[in-house]
């Protein structure tokens, strides 16, 4: 049975009492391997609580002594990194707002040189994998840093989203393909932004074979000075962790393989048919482009597109497909269709 890495602790260390009691209770669950607390908080608004600073490191030293568990804090610049090392912090994490900034990542890497500290790199706030990869490379090329883990905390969405930060799971598959040896931790707290969906996202991470979870916990979540909506008590965390089912990465059993193979060959056939059909559809889009060119009519025909979307969406229930899924497929088809007409009409 897989033993996931569980990192938990308050979003922010607020007072000595809150930090120590929360962390003690988390240690008592015997499910948490690493205790976290933010002491320098990168807040969007300057009016928000920006952390207790170095004082929090003194509290965390006590926490480490009492619980025997390793400690993690966020560092956003060289000064933070030096201070964290001087208080014996075991893990530092680079937050989403810092991963986007190569200057900060570089100065943190230089400050951590030769230290043997373990570094967690959160995904950047925007869905730009090259920034994440740049940060990984800057840290990985630093002498003395051998242990790098990645933390998936979701990405800023533009417009309405049910999440505080949309997960965009497919980007994580991409990054794991590129760095298969690096552990991937999911941070459901910052993806969800509330308590209600923590289980769903945690279970999805377990189903996708993540190596662990980072979940914020506070002794009295509603009174938290930062991220109050998404924190849960240590007892709630204990129950949440008990209810998550971790899966095996593989099963070599031939019955398992045999039971899948029948469905997999059917899926392979459907995928081939789907793409044959899409190819035919794009050829038709090109024909339409030629006619529009002759008649000098614009590519985008709002009413026609509206009709297509409405017609397919009205069949969503019968097809047992969600409206969001249908819309995302249609958007991809429409964009490609526009590209193909553009090529024909503008001789690109
Ligand atoms: C945090 O973990 O408290 C935090 C600030 O996270 P992020 O960088 O993911 O916003
Ligand atoms: Mn937080």
């Amino acid at each position: 049975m897989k033993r996931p890495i569980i990192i938990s602790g308050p979003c922010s260390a607020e007072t000595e009492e809150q930090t120590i009691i929360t962390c003690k209770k988390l240690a008592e669950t015997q499910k948490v391997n690493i205790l976290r607390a933010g002491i320098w908080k990168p807040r969007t608004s300057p009016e928000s609580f920006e952390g207790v600073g170095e004082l929090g490191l003194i509290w965390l030293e006590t926490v480490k002594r009492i619980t025997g568990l390793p400690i993690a804090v966020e560092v956003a610049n060289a000064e933070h990194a030096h201070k964290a090392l001087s208080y014996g912090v075991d893990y530092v994490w680079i937050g989403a707002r810092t991963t986007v900034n190569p200057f900060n990542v570089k100065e943190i890497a230089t400050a951590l040189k030769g230290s043997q500290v373990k570094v967690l790199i959160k995904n950047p706030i925007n869905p730009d994998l090259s920034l994440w990869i740049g940060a990984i490379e800057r840290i990985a090329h630093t002498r003395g840093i051998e242990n790098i883990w990645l933390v998936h905390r979701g990405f800023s969405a533009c417009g309405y989203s049910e999440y505080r930060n949309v997960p965009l799971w497919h980007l994580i598959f991409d990054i794991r393909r590129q760095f298969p040896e690096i552990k991937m931790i999911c941070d459901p707290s910052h993806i969800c932004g509330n308590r209600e969906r923590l289980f769903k996202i945690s279970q999805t991470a377990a189903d996708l074979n993540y190596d662990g979870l980072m979940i914020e916990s506070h002794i009295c979540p509603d009174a938290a000075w930062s991220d109050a909506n998404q924190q849960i008590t240590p007892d709630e965390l204990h129950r949440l962790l008990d209810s998550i089912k971790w899966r095996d990465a593989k099963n070599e059993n031939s019955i398992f393989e045999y039971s899948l193979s029948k469905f997999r060959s059917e899926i392979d056939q459907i995928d081939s048919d789907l793409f044959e059909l899409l190819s035919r559809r794009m050829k038709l889009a090109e024909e339409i482009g030629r006619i529009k060119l002759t008649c000098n009519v614009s590519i985008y025909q709002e009413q026609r597109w509206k009709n297509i979307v409405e017609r397919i969406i009205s069949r969503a229930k019968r097809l047992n497909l969600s409206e969001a899924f249908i819309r995302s497929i249609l958007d991809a088809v429409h964009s490609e269709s526009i590209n193909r007409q553009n090529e024909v009409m503008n001789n690109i």
Side-chain angles (χ1 to χ4, degrees):
M1 182 71 170
K2 177 166 172 166
R3 298 268 306 159
I5 300 161
I6 304 296
I7 307 170
S8 186
C11 175
S12 305
E14 298 162 4
T15 65
E16 183 170 20
E17 197 189 9
Q18 166 258 1
T19 307
I20 293 179
I21 298 181
T22 306
C23 291
K24 257 178 81 177
K25 288 205 174 281
L26 287 169
E28 278 160 20
T29 66
Q30 304 220 3
K31 301 214 168 248
V32 174
N33 319 93
I34 301 167
L35 294 166
R36 61 147 281 159
I39 54 172
W40 298 286
K41 300 300 298 176
R43 306 309 301 283
T44 305
S45 157
E47 307 301 318
S48 309
F49 172 59
E50 291 185 314
V52 292
E54 192 170 347
L55 186 57
L57 289 170
I58 302 173
W59 305 339
L60 288 172
E61 259 189 334
T62 312
V63 162
K64 185 171 164 173
R65 189 168 36 75
I66 299 175
T67 63
L69 288 175
I71 299 297
V73 299
E74 172 169 356
V75 295
N77 58 37
E79 190 198 340
H80 297 167
H82 285 303
K83 291 229 160 95
L85 292 180
S86 71
Y87 283 86
V89 162
D90 308 274
Y91 292 78
V92 294
W93 82 83
I94 297 182
R97 291 161 194 79
T98 306
T99 306
V100 289
N101 187 329
F103 290 129
N104 288 72
V105 174
K106 181 91 201 291
E107 69 170 64
I108 292 169
T110 308
L112 297 178
K113 204 174 242 170
S115 68
Q116 310 297 325
V117 74
K118 298 170 194 73
V119 183
L120 279 61
I121 309 174
K122 288 198 167 200
N123 68 256
I125 23 185
N126 47 332
D128 179 347
L129 287 191
S130 52
L131 278 171
W132 203 1
I133 293 168
I136 297 168
E137 287 171 348
R138 283 189 171 85
I139 299 292
H141 295 160
T142 306
R143 187 175 48 79
I145 301 179
E146 262 129 53
N147 233 330
I148 297 180
W149 297 348
L150 301 181
V151 181
H152 172 212
R153 51 78 78 196
F155 301 87
S156 280
C158 121
Y160 170 78
S161 163
E162 59 179 315
Y163 297 106
R164 178 175 175 192
N165 292 291
V166 283
L168 305 181
W169 301 104
H170 60 286
L171 294 184
I172 305 306
F173 299 147
D174 275 3
I175 205 101
R176 287 172 89 185
R177 256 195 305 278
Q178 294 191 52
F179 299 96
E181 72 293 351
I182 300 190
K183 290 196 190 310
M184 181 64 76
I185 309 289
C186 182
D187 171 351
S189 304
H190 291 90
I191 291 178
C192 297
N194 61 42
R195 288 162 210 142
E196 289 69 39
R197 291 196 191 86
L198 286 178
F199 172 76
K200 184 177 155 211
I201 291 293
S202 305
Q203 184 57 55
T204 304
D207 282 313
L208 296 178
N209 205 23
Y210 277 56
D211 297 288
L213 300 170
M214 180 193 264
I215 300 182
E216 290 182 341
S217 175
H218 190 289
I219 196 67
C220 183
D222 285 332
W225 298 358
S226 61
D227 289 352
N229 293 340
Q230 69 196 33
Q231 302 204 61
I232 52 177
T233 65
D235 284 344
E236 285 164 338
L237 180 87
H238 195 162
R239 284 196 290 278
L240 176 82
L241 294 175
D242 271 345
S243 56
I244 295 170
K245 291 191 182 61
W246 289 87
R247 319 286 185 190
D248 298 326
K250 281 204 235 340
N251 186 322
E252 312 272 309
N253 183 319
S254 57
I255 299 174
F256 169 75
E257 285 297 332
Y258 176 76
S259 337
L260 288 189
S261 63
K262 176 167 146 272
F263 295 105
R264 283 185 168 161
S265 53
E266 213 174 314
I267 282 181
D268 289 348
Q269 187 55 51
I270 291 178
D271 284 348
S272 302
D273 294 348
L274 262 177
F275 283 93
E276 285 295 331
L277 281 172
L278 281 171
S279 167
R280 272 175 56 199
R281 193 193 191 287
M282 291 309 154
K283 283 202 187 82
L284 295 173
E286 286 178 3
E287 292 304 330
I288 284 183
R290 285 188 190 97
I291 299 171
K292 285 181 183 165
L293 173 64
T294 313
C295 302
N296 199 32
V297 172
S298 68
I299 295 179
Y300 183 54
Q301 294 294 315
E302 185 164 326
Q303 194 52 46
R304 166 71 180 149
W305 183 242
K306 207 166 152 248
N307 293 345
I308 291 180
V309 175
E310 277 170 7
R311 188 165 55 84
I312 313 275
I313 297 265
S314 71
R315 289 153 65 182
K317 248 210 184 78
R318 189 180 62 73
L319 294 169
N320 194 20
L321 297 173
S322 76
E323 189 176 323
F325 177 67
I326 293 180
R327 280 189 194 277
S328 67
I329 300 287
L330 283 177
D331 281 344
V333 169
H334 193 211
S335 308
E336 182 60 9
S337 188
I338 288 172
N339 290 342
R340 300 290 278 261
Q341 292 183 54
N342 197 7
E343 280 165 20
V344 168
M345 292 173 76
N346 298 306
N347 210 4
I348 296 166

